[in-house]
Amino acid sequence: MTIKATDTTVILQEGTLRHTLLEKPEFPDYSNVTAMPHFTYYYTEGETIWDRLSLNMTRFVDFCRDDLYLGCYALILRRLYPLLLSDNRAKNLAAYGADTDCMAYRVIQDFMTFLHKGNALTALALSPFSLTAVSPGSCTAMLYRLDACPAPAAVCDAINRIKPGGLLLLYTIKQALPAELTALCTQAQKDNFGSCTLYTLTVDDALMDFARANGSESFILLRAAEITRRVNDLQNLIQAMLAGAALPGDAYFIAVTILQQTEEILLSLYDYLEDDGLPVRANALKESVLNYYVGVCRQCDLTSYREKLTQFSEIFFDAVGKEFPQ
Amino acid sequence: MNKYKMCMIPAYPLENVQLLKDRVILPYVCYRAFGESLRLVTKSTGDYPYLSYLEGAELIPLPEDQSHMEEAVRYVSAHSEEIDLLFLFGARGEYMELAAAYRAARPDGLIYMKLDANIDWANAFPLYDNDFSAMLQSCDVISCEARHLQALLYKKWQRPVEYIPNGVYYPLYPEAETARYEEKENIILTVGRLGTAQKNTLLLLYAYALSFAELKEPWELVMIGSVTPEFQADYDDFCKRFPPLAPHIRLTGNIADKQALYQYYKRAKIFALTSRLEGGSPNVFSEAAIFGCTVITTGVDAADDMTDFGRVGRIVPDTEDFEGFSRALVSLCNNPDYLAHNFHDMRAYMREFFDYERLAERLHVLLELQSLKRRPS
């Protein structure tokens, strides 16, 4: 794949496939421009915006020649171009999913700085915390590599960081979208070339409502409530087991099922847990319930099993209480 | 609960001695507990006299035309309807195609993988490989043999991994029932490939030497197993340097006769394990423990599990700590009350938490719950 820039066009090319990314506007759009710095370049003797854009497009090829996402970067810069030129205010962009030293970021940053010294592109570390650490509604656009983190909650977190009217640029080299994101992406403007696809979404009220409802904050609160409910049920069941109460035959299966569900929910929250040992503690409690059950079935002396069940349940319930205080 | 048609396929052709090791014994105990049938599918490596211990299990020899795993994939594809539960042993790349073939043919079937891994191996799993990750995802239950490893795998894989230790199938050890503490002698025993880097045997030899003068009663050190030439030279040198100790240390060589080996377990009060690395608890630990030996071990992955966090044994965390191992030996040897009491505690602990029949029942419940998820709604 390569990118060719002329005085009038920027073309993405791979074998016989050609895709015109941009054509130089004959009459630049003045309507949104309120102050000068970049605009003068069109008419001064120095480098024009078009020259710089062309240069940066070809720099993608120089710096990211072996990068499978090369086409995505070109498509991204094409979509960013009108946004960056739309007014003369400094813009704050963020990027998530690629390595923080990704060369494509440097190329985009160079073009942004050329337009306005205050423009910034911040590369976020690949951790869900880095998304939630960005102030809500603070970015003009977010570049998001879908293949690195296809979780819907993370995509929604990214949307929540974007200003109304800003852009979410989801890019991928995979053919299939994660099922949970299909509906979202059908609303997007889709550009693709070769294996590279870019979905561009403009953040409006409806999208923000969707993101708020499905972001990690809402996800965590919902999941925390589910855990608390299950743990309350479990505490009663395990107390009854330890007290030697007559229990229905399926009581142990119910306890194990609840613990298995709890373990799965905890694992789904894994990146957000303060105590990352919680899932394995849930498993240890499940193991001691099962050992106790086997002991009951085999009519063994239950002393050791009871001790382990007591010990592991105390450890687990204490840890849950600290992680999810009520 | 359901009865399962079971099939165990090793990553490499089975040898006769492996029929009585974990890779086969656990599937066999599961078959006894909740199986309709058990097939051991392998390319033949010779005769299998130990099959006579596994009543009801069927050994299916694979054709010799292609590699073991190619033939195994072909077998599973052709016989998937006769396999409700597939046992895999080890997270090995060799299994990737097999697991995919079975999953494609039997979306409702169950795959259980016993990891048989230590922490170093677990750290080297190629999780970046999509096919390898798909293999792990296709498994309904994965178990590892040490709690330390389990905690690590939760961090690495973020999926449930059960703790199922290398256990004991008691019907294979009727002699253990007859062990009596009163018949035990002041013997420190170790069993293994003496002198290999993994078994770290010199640690025991020199720790014993360091503790010798502090022991209130005479204690013998008995070392059973094949001996590397390097260790033989070290041992000869040791005897020359410490002539008073030499008569108290015995290298028996390898003892293939199980009955003769069990007599040593019966007689020994202490079993020493000095390994630098073990995947779960080794078989020799289980054997020694059911005969009531108190175990002293280095900090291998399963050290906490073998000793119930130090309750029924001693852990010396550092594998190169000669003085620490010696101190632990002295404290055990000079504490006959603990050894006598621990004879019963250790045996009870093994029966409660390492008995394969009980572990299989636990596994049965886990598999039943997974099977509910796999059933078409």
Side-chain angles (χ1 to χ4, degrees):
Chain A
M1 191 180 292
T2 191
I3 300 168
K4 292 202 168 134
T6 69
D7 288 344
T8 53
T9 54
V10 180
I11 293 165
L12 198 50
Q13 195 172 335
E14 185 171 38
T16 55
L17 275 179
R18 283 166 66 91
H19 178 75
T20 302
L21 277 173
L22 278 168
E23 288 181 10
K24 183 178 177 181
E26 283 185 32
F27 300 102
D29 179 6
Y30 292 79
S31 57
N32 290 326
V33 181
T34 54
M36 294 301 289
H38 57 273
F39 203 75
T40 53
Y41 291 123
Y42 261 115
Y43 300 105
T44 57
E45 288 176 0
E47 192 178 21
T48 66
I49 292 175
W50 183 258
D51 291 341
R52 192 60 164 236
L53 177 78
S54 306
L55 176 70
N56 282 312
M57 283 288 191
T58 52
R59 274 183 177 165
F60 279 143
V61 181
D62 296 338
F63 295 160
C64 314
R65 187 176 301 278
D66 299 323
D67 191 330
L68 296 173
Y69 291 89
L70 171 63
C72 294
Y73 304 140
L75 294 169
I76 286 169
L77 189 51
R78 186 260 288 269
R79 286 288 163 209
L80 285 177
Y81 182 67
L83 179 82
L84 293 169
L85 285 170
S86 64
D87 64 37
N88 192 31
R89 296 172 65 184
K91 292 175 181 60
N92 178 28
L93 271 64
Y96 181 71
D99 290 338
T100 49
D101 59 354
C102 173
M103 292 304 287
Y105 293 168
R106 294 194 194 180
V107 175
I108 295 170
Q109 174 71 72
D110 179 77
F111 182 64
M112 289 168 61
T113 311
F114 176 78
L115 296 180
H116 191 305
K117 285 197 164 37
N119 281 341
L121 172 67
T122 308
L124 304 173
L126 186 56
S127 153
F129 292 113
S130 63
L131 277 173
T132 50
V134 177
S135 299
S138 61
C139 298
T140 306
M142 174 80 76
L143 285 53
Y144 190 107
R145 183 179 289 184
L146 208 44
D147 307 336
C149 186
V155 173
C156 289
D157 284 347
I159 295 170
N160 284 330
R161 312 298 126 186
I162 302 168
K163 290 177 179 175
L167 298 181
L168 173 68
L169 299 142
L170 295 170
Y171 63 101
T172 177
I173 55 168
K174 290 189 177 166
Q175 290 209 322
L177 274 172
E180 306 93 326
L181 292 175
T182 311
L184 184 71
C185 288
T186 51
Q187 302 169 37
Q189 202 163 11
K190 182 179 174 185
D191 302 299
N192 73 305
F193 184 76
S195 58
C196 297
T197 307
L198 174 70
Y199 297 93
T200 306
L201 283 150
T202 303
V203 175
D204 56 16
D205 288 346
L207 193 60
M208 283 166 80
D209 289 345
F210 172 81
R212 265 194 290 272
N214 295 286
S216 61
E217 196 177 321
S218 147
F219 174 79
I220 291 168
L221 289 172
L222 197 70
R223 291 288 163 123
E226 285 181 36
I227 288 170
T228 309
R229 182 168 55 78
R230 282 178 170 76
V231 165
N232 288 339
D233 293 345
L234 261 178
Q235 271 176 320
N236 295 333
L237 254 177
I238 288 173
Q239 269 169 14
M241 285 176 201
L242 290 170
L247 291 167
D250 58 357
Y252 296 96
F253 291 93
I254 291 170
V256 170
T257 305
I258 294 174
L259 275 161
Q260 211 159 39
Q261 290 167 348
T262 308
E263 195 180 343
E264 279 163 14
I265 297 171
L266 287 167
L267 284 168
S268 73
L269 290 177
Y270 190 83
D271 288 329
Y272 303 100
L273 293 175
E274 288 272 321
D275 175 2
D276 64 5
L278 258 180
V280 78
R281 284 191 238 289
N283 184 283
L285 179 54
K286 180 177 77 180
E287 177 199 323
S288 49
V289 170
L290 281 169
N291 283 339
Y292 192 83
Y293 164 72
V294 172
V296 169
C297 291
R298 297 175 76 96
Q299 298 180 313
C300 302
D301 174 10
L302 293 174
T303 311
S304 296
Y305 295 131
R306 190 176 288 119
E307 280 171 11
K308 293 281 182 203
L309 183 55
T310 307
Q311 181 194 349
F312 284 118
S313 62
E314 282 173 1
I315 291 171
F316 176 67
F317 293 135
D318 283 355
V320 168
K322 282 182 190 145
E323 186 79 34
F324 305 103
Q326 292 188 50
Chain B
M1 289 200 273
N2 293 319
K3 288 265 184 188
Y4 293 83
K5 287 179 251 177
M6 301 173 178
C7 177
M8 188 273 164
I9 301 184
Y12 299 98
L14 272 179
E15 293 171 19
N16 178 51
V17 288
Q18 291 169 333
L19 293 181
L20 299 184
K21 299 271 172 78
D22 302 288
R23 71 191 62 191
V24 175
I25 285 294
L26 180 56
Y28 179 70
V29 179
C30 288
Y31 154 65
R32 302 288 295 188
F34 57 95
E36 188 180 312
S37 60
L38 172 64
R39 292 178 184 180
L40 307 170
V41 176
T42 179
K43 267 196 171 178
S44 174
T45 58
D47 291 336
Y48 292 95
Y50 284 177
L51 195 60
S52 61
Y53 289 101
L54 309 176
E55 190 188 338
E58 190 183 357
L59 196 134
I60 310 282
L62 288 170
E64 295 294 325
D65 304 349
Q66 296 192 37
S67 74
H68 170 76
M69 206 35 82
E70 282 171 327
E71 291 293 357
V73 171
R74 193 179 291 182
Y75 179 87
V76 160
S77 303
H79 296 85
S80 63
E81 286 309 312
E82 298 149 36
I83 304 170
D84 303 324
L85 172 57
L86 178 63
F87 286 93
L88 304 180
F89 186 77
R92 297 172 182 278
E94 286 84 349
Y95 278 137
M96 292 188 303
E97 203 185 330
L98 183 77
Y102 178 68
R103 181 54 69 225
R106 283 294 301 271
D108 61 326
L110 294 177
I111 303 178
Y112 164 60
M113 178 181 280
K114 181 175 176 1
L115 277 181
D116 186 45
N118 57 46
I119 281 179
D120 286 357
W121 186 15
N123 270 324
F125 286 145
L127 299 178
Y128 50 83
D129 184 294
N130 288 340
D131 292 337
F132 188 85
S133 295
M135 174 184 74
L136 294 179
Q137 278 171 10
S138 70
C139 294
D140 296 276
V141 176
I142 296 180
S143 74
C144 68
E145 294 80 12
R147 286 188 198 282
H148 267 142
L149 180 60
Q150 184 192 27
L152 173 86
L153 291 173
Y154 265 79
K155 288 180 202 285
K156 286 178 81 75
W157 293 355
Q158 294 175 26
R159 65 154 285 165
V161 177
E162 309 300 329
Y163 163 65
I164 296 182
N166 288 331
V168 179
Y169 183 43
Y170 278 85
L172 292 178
Y173 300 96
E175 303 81 359
E177 292 297 320
T178 61
R180 300 281 175 274
Y181 184 73
E182 297 71 31
E183 294 170 12
K184 283 191 176 281
E185 301 166 32
N186 286 352
I187 291 174
I188 301 162
L189 179 70
T190 194
V191 180
R193 298 182 307 278
L194 304 177
T196 58
Q198 183 202 355
K199 297 298 176 186
N200 194 21
T201 320
L202 274 182
L203 174 67
L204 179 58
L205 193 61
Y206 280 91
Y208 175 73
L210 284 172
S211 60
F212 191 77
E214 294 182 54
L215 300 176
K216 289 178 185 166
E217 295 176 14
W219 280 78
E220 306 289 310
L221 174 60
V222 177
M223 307 173 102
I224 298 176
S226 57
V227 180
T228 63
E230 295 79 12
F231 184 69
Q232 186 66 52
D234 286 335
Y235 172 73
D236 293 342
D237 178 52
F238 178 92
C239 292
K240 280 181 201 152
R241 288 170 65 194
F242 307 106
L245 273 70
H248 298 279
I249 303 171
R250 197 139 59 90
L251 268 62
T252 65
N254 189 39
I255 298 180
D257 176 2
K258 288 279 181 192
Q259 299 306 319
L261 179 63
Y262 298 156
Q263 292 310 310
Y264 278 101
Y265 288 131
K266 262 187 169 178
R267 289 166 55 202
K269 288 182 183 170
I270 294 175
F271 182 82
L273 186 75
T274 52
S275 298
R276 292 192 169 98
L277 207 67
E278 291 286 351
S281 55
N283 287 331
V284 287
F285 154 75
S286 307
E287 291 179 346
I290 61 171
F291 281 91
C293 300
T294 291
V295 172
I296 172 172
T297 176
T298 44
V300 291
D301 295 351
D304 285 339
D305 313 317
M306 289 191 278
T307 61
D308 196 17
F309 297 88
R311 183 178 67 88
V312 292
R314 293 289 177 268
I315 303 168
V316 181
D318 185 349
T319 57
E320 313 305 320
D321 183 2
F322 288 75
E323 289 186 359
F325 207 90
S326 162
R327 278 195 300 275
L329 263 185
V330 170
S331 83
L332 276 184
C333 294
N334 290 346
N335 193 346
D337 291 343
Y338 172 78
L339 293 176
H341 194 261
N342 199 51
F343 169 80
H344 301 287
D345 287 354
M346 179 54 118
R347 282 158 58 93
Y349 177 61
M350 292 302 292
R351 184 65 91 167
E352 283 160 349
F353 296 101
F354 286 76
D355 178 355
Y356 262 141
E357 290 181 339
R358 299 187 197 194
L359 294 170
E361 286 177 41
R362 172 149 70 86
L363 183 57
H364 187 194
V365 178
L366 294 170
L367 289 166
E368 281 289 305
L369 291 172
Q370 289 305 117
S371 129
L372 290 175
K373 289 185 189 170
R374 289 249 169 238
R375 261 176 223 161
S377 50

